[in-house]
Amino acid sequence: MSLRPTLETRRALPTMEGAGVHLHRAFGFQDPSELDPFLLFDDFRNDRPEHYAKGFPWHPHRGIETITYVLSGTVDHSDSLGNSGSLGAGDIQWMTAGSGILHQEMPKGNTQGQMHGFQLWANLPSSLKMTAPRYQDVKGTEIPEIIDDDGTRVKVVIGTFWGKTGPVDGIAADPQYLDIYVPPGVKKTFPVDTYRRAFAYVFDGAGAFADASTPTGVLLEKEVAGQEVNIRDMSGNRTLVRFGTGDEVTVQAGPEGIRFLLISGAPIQEPVAWHGPIVMNTQAELQQAFSELRNGTFIRPAH
């Protein structure tokens, strides 16, 4: 077995999308080969309704798949195919935009006004860019959870892990999407297919990935037992961890434990022509998509 080294850690950056939704972006609109087949990852977390209530009004997508995972609050959605519904806490939606779809996503907070969820964009290979759009909506109760003897918890959102298989299937990137909690002080190793690109996104607690004996990152002052001590926070809240090659990832949980998403997928390794919500292989295909948006032929009739 070979341990995947940590190539990079970086904090997600605040930005705004839609009609003024405040969120943090871990990656997106940069080098698409960096985490191929994944293009973008957003953490939309807020407890101020004025920062998310206007949501993401009607907008197009083509050539990608979007994965929305809700932790708290709800997301109401509707689209040009006539679908509509609501994602609640723990639910996931995988949308294959394919040849083209128009949809809207409107977040709502829970009873305390809190909203938290993630959206990941996965690229489609050229052979599937113009496939028929489809949705897979999955309730949180359908997502299997594994609890190990040491208290580690793994929700298998997509893919197969430790003998359990998530309910979403037929995805081009053949991804694995895990929601992992490791208790305080526990060191844990997780297998990752050698041929996949992989990243972790830490959203609660902190810990050190790869060589846990030499964590890197910012030094934080934390009061423990009445004394000021230095705590190494290699990857804490809203931190992306990008891994090199290998077939396993190791994490050493900090004093408050760590919760993170561990996501991997098979790289597509094709040219990317990308502008906003449209991702194609060539500039000509991109220009055609926007021309169709202008003249009203973007949505293809169902066959």
Side-chain angles (χ1 to χ4, degrees):
M1 304 294 283
S2 59
L3 184 67
R4 284 181 178 247
T6 298
L7 297 180
E8 178 188 19
T9 63
R10 63 176 183 247
R11 294 297 176 98
L13 298 176
T15 188
M16 282 199 297
E17 280 292 350
V21 177
H22 294 240
L23 51 81
H24 282 73
R25 178 160 293 154
F27 62 89
F29 300 107
Q30 295 164 321
D31 179 2
S33 68
E34 184 179 76
L35 283 166
D36 180 16
F38 305 114
L39 298 164
L40 175 147
F41 183 88
D42 284 344
D43 178 348
F44 50 97
R45 180 186 340 186
N46 216 298
D47 56 8
R48 298 179 62 182
E50 64 270 25
H51 284 174
Y52 61 76
K54 292 183 179 179
F56 306 90
W58 290 98
H59 59 280
H61 285 292
R62 176 179 284 180
I64 63 170
E65 301 184 280
T66 67
I67 307 94
T68 305
Y69 181 33
V70 178
L71 293 186
S72 60
T74 60
V75 177
D76 295 338
H77 65 90
S78 53
D79 65 52
S80 53
L81 300 176
N83 298 312
S84 64
S86 183
L87 299 175
D91 297 349
I92 189 164
Q93 179 191 84
W94 193 294
M95 184 197 75
T96 303
S99 61
I101 199 166
L102 297 170
H103 75 157
Q104 64 175 349
E105 300 156 300
M106 307 303 288
K108 295 180 181 179
N110 59 18
T111 54
Q112 290 78 43
Q114 297 164 333
M115 177 68 219
H116 190 193
F118 307 105
Q119 188 167 91
L120 175 69
W121 291 11
N123 199 7
L124 280 169
S126 57
S127 59
L128 294 175
K129 288 286 189 191
M130 301 301 285
T131 191
R134 69 169 181 149
Y135 277 91
Q136 295 183 68
D137 284 355
V138 176
K139 292 295 183 184
T141 52
E142 299 177 42
I143 297 173
E145 182 175 35
I146 305 162
I147 304 176
D148 210 0
D149 293 340
D150 58 10
T152 297
R153 294 173 177 262
V154 180
K155 291 184 179 181
V156 186
V157 179
I158 301 164
T160 298
F161 187 78
W162 285 352
K164 299 287 186 180
T165 299
V168 178
D169 62 4
I171 306 304
D174 189 26
Q176 188 178 67
Y177 191 126
L178 308 174
D179 178 351
I180 297 174
Y181 167 74
V182 180
V186 172
K187 185 177 183 180
K188 200 72 175 176
T189 297
F190 303 95
V192 180
D193 187 285
T194 306
Y195 300 101
R196 297 169 181 262
R197 297 271 171 81
F199 70 91
Y201 182 75
V202 181
F203 61 94
D204 193 21
F209 285 86
D211 185 354
S213 65
T214 56
T216 60
V218 297
L219 284 171
L220 301 180
E221 293 294 324
K222 187 176 179 73
E223 187 174 298
V224 177
Q227 296 181 342
E228 290 291 325
V229 295
N230 286 331
I231 299 291
R232 290 265 186 191
D233 179 21
M234 182 194 116
S235 48
N237 191 17
R238 294 194 179 104
T239 299
L240 173 77
V241 183
R242 191 163 60 91
F243 299 109
T245 56
D247 50 23
E248 58 185 22
V249 166
T250 293
V251 61
Q252 172 72 56
E256 297 175 357
I258 185 172
R259 189 174 175 190
F260 61 97
L261 304 178
L262 181 59
I263 299 174
S264 61
I268 294 173
Q269 298 179 314
E270 290 182 352
V272 173
W274 182 5
H275 184 78
I278 311 294
V279 184
M280 303 304 289
N281 292 106
T282 68
Q283 288 296 318
E285 291 169 340
L286 197 61
Q287 290 165 10
Q288 179 183 347
F290 281 98
S291 174
E292 291 174 2
L293 273 172
R294 289 190 296 270
N295 65 28
T297 60
F298 182 78
I299 303 300
R300 305 298 174 95
H303 294 291

